[in-house]
């Protein structure tokens, strides 16, 4: 069973999302990928790793007959990298740190040469993936490596992407699409998640349609993101660091002697939620640089959002 938050996020971005075991069963319908005597770590591997796919070019997904593999997992990964690099899919996480061999690599017999370490690739070579290769064969494994996004669980319902077009690139593409093209979208009324979770997700369709600036349009004002210069304040004291009015200097909640561990925890959680509204204003439908018009006559083209207290209340 996939974590609800993870599934909701990925299903709003990808055409289809499954566990690795479910998708492998669908690719090779004539076999059972999970067997009764499998080691527990392999069962966990099949049930917790996630396979996500963008919309296929055909109406149905492929299926494969089962054959004993003749290639190793390492060689399959190399062949997958070569195919992706040939099709100029260099953004695929599987290809990071690799390139097709050329005249500079006359001493190499490999078609793909590594120029930087890609730790994601190393994780796809471990014994669980080798066991899966033995179970499903070369065709399905090559299909997964070249057409799917693979997400590894890292605890607390979080996953890290090991293969496929980076999720951030897909989301960025969607932002540009919303900015320039009208597309039919799923409304919040069709979203089965609780209202609170919808608010802090990718934002409603209405809020996305208000986007007039992309991250590339937003310059960083150095004095807002770095420590400011030393200032001489009252009593001839020198103040270093962020201004006293900065939210990071006000985020720590006040404590009193009567506080219990439960009340302290509630105060910390409330302070964290309050701080998140400064960090992620667009997700809370607050004023932000992505939906604010630029003032082209000013050195700072966007409003200063240092104090949001009145807006949050």
């Amino acid at each position: 069973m996939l974590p609800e938050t993870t599934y909701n996020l990925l299903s709003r971005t990808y055409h289809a999302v499954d566990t690795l075991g479910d998708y492998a069963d669908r690719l090779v319908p004539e076999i059972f990928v999970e067997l009764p005597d499998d080691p527990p770590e392999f069962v966990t591997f099949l049930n917790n790793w996630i396979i996500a796919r963008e919309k296929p070019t055909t109406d149905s997904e492929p299926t494969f007959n089962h054959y004993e593999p003749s290639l190793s997992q390492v060689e399959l990964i190399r062949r997958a990298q070569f195919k992706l690099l040939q099709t100029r899919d260099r953004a695929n996480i599987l290809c990071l740190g690799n390139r097709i061999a050329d005249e500079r690599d006359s001493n190499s017999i490999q078609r793909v040469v590594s120029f930087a370490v890609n730790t994601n690739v190393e994780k796809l070579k471990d014994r669980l993936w080798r066991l899966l290769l033995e179970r499903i064969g070369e065709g399905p494994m090559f299909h997964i490596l070249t057409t799917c996004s693979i997400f590894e669980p890292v605890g607390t319902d979080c996953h890290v992407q090991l293969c496929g077009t980076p999720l951030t690139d897909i989301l960025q593409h969607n932002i540009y699409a919303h900015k320039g093209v009208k597309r039919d979208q799923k409304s919040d009324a069709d979203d089965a998640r609780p209202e609170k979770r919808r608010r802090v997700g990718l934002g409603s369709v209405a809020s996305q349609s208000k986007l007039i600036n992309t991250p590339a349009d937003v310059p960083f004002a150095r004095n807002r993101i770095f420590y400011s210069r030393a200032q001489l304040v009252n009593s001839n004291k020198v103040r270093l660091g962020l201004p006293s009015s900065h939210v990071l200097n006000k985020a720590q909640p006040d404590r009193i002697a009567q506080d219990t561990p439960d009340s302290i925890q509630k105060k910390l959680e409330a302070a964290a939620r309050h701080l998140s509204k400064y960090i992620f204003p667009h997700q809370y439908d607050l004023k932000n640089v992505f939906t604010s018009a630029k003032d082209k006559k000013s050195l700072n083209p966007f409003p200063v959002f240092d104090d949001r207290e009145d807006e949050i209340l």
Side-chain angles (χ1 to χ4, degrees):
M1 186 69 180
L2 297 177
E4 180 188 1
T5 304
T6 303
Y7 177 79
N8 286 331
L9 171 63
L10 294 179
S11 62
R12 293 179 66 171
T13 308
Y14 292 96
H15 174 72
V17 180
D18 291 291
T19 64
L20 176 57
D22 287 344
Y23 190 56
D25 279 329
R26 195 174 301 127
L27 287 177
V28 195
E30 66 185 66
I31 66 167
F32 291 102
V33 176
E34 182 182 331
L35 299 177
D37 57 348
D38 280 335
E41 57 268 28
F42 185 67
V43 175
T44 300
F45 167 67
L46 294 176
N47 292 328
N48 289 353
W49 285 61
I50 294 176
I51 301 295
R53 287 92 65 206
E54 297 184 59
K55 190 170 184 178
T57 54
T58 59
D59 293 336
S60 60
E61 295 198 64
T63 57
F64 297 84
N65 295 322
H66 179 258
Y67 297 100
E68 293 294 328
S70 59
L71 297 175
S72 68
Q73 180 72 357
V74 173
E75 180 59 28
L76 267 181
I77 290 174
R78 283 293 181 192
R79 293 192 179 196
Q81 290 172 326
F82 184 72
K83 178 183 178 181
L84 292 169
L85 289 169
Q86 272 191 319
T87 57
R88 299 188 177 276
D89 191 4
R90 296 184 179 87
N92 193 302
I93 296 174
L94 190 67
C95 296
L96 298 180
N98 295 272
R99 59 177 173 79
I100 294 179
D102 54 27
E103 63 275 3
R104 294 171 291 177
D105 311 296
S106 56
N107 295 328
S108 175
I109 62 173
Q110 301 288 342
R111 293 187 297 175
V112 175
V113 177
S114 298
F115 59 85
V117 177
N118 186 338
T119 56
N120 298 323
V121 172
E122 299 307 311
K123 292 181 180 180
L124 296 174
K125 297 177 182 177
D126 73 13
R127 64 184 185 87
L128 295 176
W129 280 97
R130 296 197 299 271
L131 178 56
L132 180 63
L133 173 61
E134 294 175 5
R135 196 67 57 85
I136 65 176
E138 296 170 12
M141 180 63 74
F142 189 77
H143 171 78
I144 290 173
L145 292 174
T146 55
T147 65
C148 301
S149 293
I150 303 173
F151 293 86
E152 175 196 14
V154 292
T156 62
D157 291 349
C158 295
H159 288 72
V160 61
Q161 188 176 1
L162 302 185
C163 185
T165 302
L167 177 60
T168 51
D169 287 4
I170 298 175
L171 294 175
Q172 181 67 29
H173 176 269
N174 291 344
I175 289 176
Y176 277 102
H178 281 299
K179 182 179 179 182
V181 181
K182 263 192 172 181
R183 303 195 308 180
D184 290 331
Q185 290 281 340
K186 194 176 176 186
S187 69
D188 278 355
D190 298 327
D191 194 340
R193 295 182 301 161
E195 179 183 356
K196 177 181 176 182
R197 218 167 254 179
R198 291 203 304 271
R199 285 192 63 200
V200 298
L202 293 176
S204 63
V205 175
S207 66
Q208 289 180 358
S209 65
K210 297 176 186 176
L211 290 174
I212 59 174
N213 302 307
T214 68
D217 300 323
V218 181
F220 288 97
R222 184 182 180 88
N223 64 329
R224 296 188 196 176
I225 60 175
F226 295 109
Y227 279 81
S228 58
R229 297 174 182 231
Q231 299 177 358
L232 191 65
V233 295
N234 296 335
S235 305
N236 291 327
K237 292 182 180 179
V238 176
R239 176 194 295 157
L240 301 173
L242 297 169
S244 59
S245 60
H246 196 281
V247 66
L248 292 179
N249 287 328
K250 302 186 296 183
Q252 187 67 20
D254 295 328
R255 299 187 183 183
I256 58 177
Q258 292 79 12
D259 275 339
T260 64
D262 286 343
S263 65
I264 293 175
Q265 181 64 27
K266 289 180 180 179
K267 285 185 177 182
L268 290 173
E269 291 173 356
R273 287 192 295 270
H274 190 77
L275 178 61
S276 70
K277 295 176 182 179
Y278 276 83
I279 301 174
F280 306 109
H282 179 56
Q283 279 68 21
Y284 286 96
D285 290 330
L286 300 174
K287 294 178 182 177
N288 60 87
V289 294
F290 300 111
T291 58
S292 297
K294 284 185 179 180
D295 182 0
K296 297 182 179 179
K297 297 181 181 180
S298 173
L299 292 176
N300 292 322
F302 293 105
V304 177
F305 300 110
D306 291 346
D307 188 351
R308 296 181 177 274
E309 299 305 313
D310 291 340
E311 186 182 10
I312 291 173
L313 294 177

